[in-house]
């Protein structure tokens, strides 16, 4: 699909994704399945970022087990867990989102980074998922379990990791 914009004709991002999926289907006979699965997964993740959560779910569901089985690098697994969890949460599949957010937190712990400031976001996502599922006591327990994150020197907002947990806790009081 093409639209007119301030700089002339533009191709819609969704059309690009659909073309890429069709190209992958044509190559399915000679590409390794794990390559196709990973491409489908990231296409689904991109659609999720566009707010197309149901379309994203189809691609992510087709690809996730193969991606998880073949990807060993922790950072890559972390990104997969993040995308799968966020898409599940936005679709309202809170059980699936909880699974992936816990996987994400587990990866952080297994790398010896359980006290890293970024861990605050792992706990925040788990808590937000429980809040969206209207499981407020579970959200409180997650936030209580979060590490105390101090100021991060050199960050443009040194208290951002501490305040993101405080903001999630404040949502429980609304």
């Amino acid at each position: 699909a093409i639209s007119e914009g301030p700089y002339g004709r533009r191709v819609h991002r969704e059309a690009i994704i659909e073309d890429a999926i069709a190209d992958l289907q044509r190559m399915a006979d000679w590409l390794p399945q794990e390559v196709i699965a990973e491409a489908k997964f990231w296409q689904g993740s991109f659609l999720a970022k566009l707010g197309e959560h149901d379309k994203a779910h189809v691609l992510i569901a087709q690809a996730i087990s193969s991606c998880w089985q073949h990807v060993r690098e922790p950072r890559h697994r972390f990104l997969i867990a993040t995308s799968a969890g966020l898409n599940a949460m936005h679709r309202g599949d809170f059980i699936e989102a909880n699974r992936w957010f816990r996987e994400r937190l587990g990866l952080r712990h297994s790398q010896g980074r359980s006290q890293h400031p970024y861990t605050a976001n792992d706990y925040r996502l788990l808590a937000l998922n429980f809040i969206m599922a209207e499981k407020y006591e579970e959200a409180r327990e997650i936030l209580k379990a979060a590490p105390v994150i101090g100021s991060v020197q050199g960050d443009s907002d040194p208290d951002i990791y501490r305040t993101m947990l405080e903001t999630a806790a404040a949502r429980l009081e609304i």
Side-chain angles (χ1 to χ4, degrees), residues 108 113-124 143 145-153 155 157-166:
R108 182 99 56 207
R113 300 176 65 95
S114 61
Q115 297 299 311
H116 190 281
Y118 295 169
T119 306
N121 197 40
D122 299 333
Y123 284 92
R124 181 185 69 91
L143 292 171
V148 175
I149 306 291
S151 293
V152 179
Q153 299 306 314
D155 198 304
D157 182 354
D159 295 319
I160 191 162
Y161 302 106
R162 180 182 50 77
T163 58
M164 75 172 46
L165 291 171
E166 290 172 357

Side-chain angles (χ1 to χ4, degrees), residues 73-155:
E73 197 273 314
R75 178 71 183 139
H76 198 159
R77 288 185 132 213
F78 186 84
L79 293 172
I80 290 170
T82 301
S83 282
L86 286 170
N87 189 57
M89 183 173 71
H90 288 293
R91 277 188 9 268
D93 188 346
F94 304 118
I95 293 170
E96 183 74 3
N98 184 57
R99 175 180 158 231
W100 287 111
F101 291 151
R102 287 188 185 279
E103 188 69 49
R104 176 185 150 113
L105 186 59
L107 286 165
R108 182 99 56 207
H109 285 280
S110 71
Q111 294 174 357
R113 300 176 65 95
S114 61
Q115 297 299 311
H116 190 281
Y118 295 169
T119 306
N121 197 40
D122 299 333
Y123 284 92
R124 181 185 69 91
L125 286 172
L126 271 167
L128 289 177
N129 187 56
F130 280 125
I131 291 168
M132 289 175 71
E134 298 181 355
K135 295 185 175 187
Y136 304 113
E137 195 52 44
E138 288 91 336
R140 279 187 188 84
E141 292 303 315
I142 288 295
L143 292 171
K144 283 181 194 174
V148 175
I149 306 291
S151 293
V152 179
Q153 299 306 314
D155 198 304

